[in-house]
Amino acid sequence: MFARLVAIMTAAKSSRPLNSQMTARYNCRVAGTGSYLPERELTNFDLEKMVETSDQWITERTGIRSRRVAADNQVTTDLALNAAKNALEMAQMTARDLDAIIFATVSPDQLMPNSACVLQKKLGARDIMSLDISAACSGFIYGLSIANDMIAAGSYKNVLVIGAEILTRYMNYKDRDTCILFGDAGGAVVATRADDGESSRIYSHHLHADGTISDLFVFKMGGSAYPFSHENLDKGYHYMNMKGREIFKHAIRTMSQSCAEALEHNKMSGADVDWIIPHQANIRIIDGVAKHFGIPTSKVIIEIERMGNTSAATIPVSLDRAVRDGRIHRGQNILLTAFGAGITSGSLLMRF
């Protein structure tokens, strides 16, 4: 399978843009990580009382036993704020040291102003570039890739990258295909310019999107196509909707493809990777990606059991937890991979 994927990547190489690392002036490294999960826990046994399901059914199909739910008085930037403070502390920086904020989310506080600007105020950061990006579950990898290019070009030195979501407010708790999956969380990293001779760096990133299958995962309400109205509320457009079986198939394909691309680009194999951190969507998807590359589950960071799918937050939260409990340490090669609504996908290979 790996050889076939590499062949596909090689054949398509001429039609894809060159990776920014080929012309980079500086290396980018992750200086600090942070995460935050709300206190309230929604277990599978709680869901048994809300929808026709069972703990056994959910656990066997998803690997999820519980997920976190934000308090009524919390908004997405509150989760991001806690994660950002933790990341800044690890990086031994303050918000005044930041040159930019990139905020990946599909559940912002409001449509405008963007959540990055709200977070900028809450952090007490300077007058810096602050923007939101919407790439769903791939959002954090997209954001860190953008930060890498900004730092590599020399335009910025310290960039805060956020992945934060409050998805439980968009769940239809009569639809067991979606409500069992999603939770709330915030994750963050501080990306910074690496010093000369420093081994920590981002090797490369590889981002993709296939809009031809964009209808597999949708949240219709609130845009120009389906504005807020009683009619659209009655149609249930204020809930997330997904075609789970089709997403499952494309998730393994796109994540495996982007991982193969990263390894081939850097002339590495699965044996050269110390840890893989996949998007935490479903344990069967995680296992499927690892199996494609012959990577044992002992080298896969898995945090889905007590967190669920937190979209753009899953990878930074999983990274932070593994760093803080000692699984990940400096000098190790880490492969991040994700897929999300769009359908977006991507990978990022770094030396932590």
Side-chain angles (χ1 to χ4, degrees), residues 7-165:
I8 293 171
M9 293 299 100
T10 302
K13 188 185 297 182
S14 61
S15 65
R16 288 185 176 156
L18 296 177
N19 190 277
S20 62
Q21 287 290 318
M22 298 182 69
T23 56
R25 292 171 54 193
Y26 301 100
N27 286 329
C28 170
R29 71 181 183 95
V30 171
T33 66
S35 62
Y36 173 79
L37 274 71
E39 292 184 8
R40 181 187 168 194
E41 188 174 26
L42 182 67
T43 70
N44 293 346
F45 296 107
D46 295 325
L47 286 172
E48 287 179 350
K49 303 170 185 177
M50 303 166 65
V51 66
E52 185 179 350
T53 190
S54 70
D55 171 67
Q56 181 180 0
W57 190 90
I58 297 171
T59 304
E60 289 178 352
R61 285 161 179 78
T62 69
I64 301 169
R65 293 186 182 277
S66 66
R67 68 287 298 145
R68 299 298 181 92
V69 179
D72 292 341
N73 63 348
Q74 286 182 312
V75 293
T76 303
T77 54
D78 292 329
L79 278 56
L81 177 64
N82 285 285
K85 287 180 176 178
N86 291 333
L88 285 165
E89 181 181 18
M90 182 184 292
Q92 297 183 331
M93 295 183 191
T94 71
R96 304 291 293 178
D97 295 315
L98 296 174
D99 301 310
I101 299 172
I102 300 174
F103 199 127
T105 187
V106 291
S107 53
D109 292 4
Q110 62 263 316
L111 290 178
M112 62 178 180
N114 70 31
S115 293
C117 288
V118 177
L119 179 62
Q120 176 197 28
K121 176 183 177 181
K122 290 183 177 182
L123 278 171
R126 298 179 292 113
D127 179 2
I128 57 175
M129 185 193 85
S130 302
L131 82 157
D132 287 6
I133 60 171
S134 177
C137 305
S138 305
F140 176 77
I141 289 182
Y142 269 54
L144 185 54
S145 299
I146 294 169
N148 173 75
D149 288 352
M150 292 163 59
I151 291 169
S155 302
Y156 298 82
K157 186 175 181 181
N158 302 317
V159 181
L160 176 67
V161 183
I162 298 288
E165 308 281 8

Side-chain angles (χ1 to χ4, degrees), residues 6 60 89 96 111 129 136 139 212 223 239 244 252-253 256 282 287 298 314 322 327 335 344:
V6 169
E60 289 178 352
E89 181 181 18
R96 304 291 293 178
L111 290 178
M129 185 193 85
T212 63
Y239 294 129
I252 294 178
R253 176 184 61 82
S256 297
N282 181 305
D287 289 343
S298 60
T314 66
R327 282 174 289 174
L335 179 59
T344 61

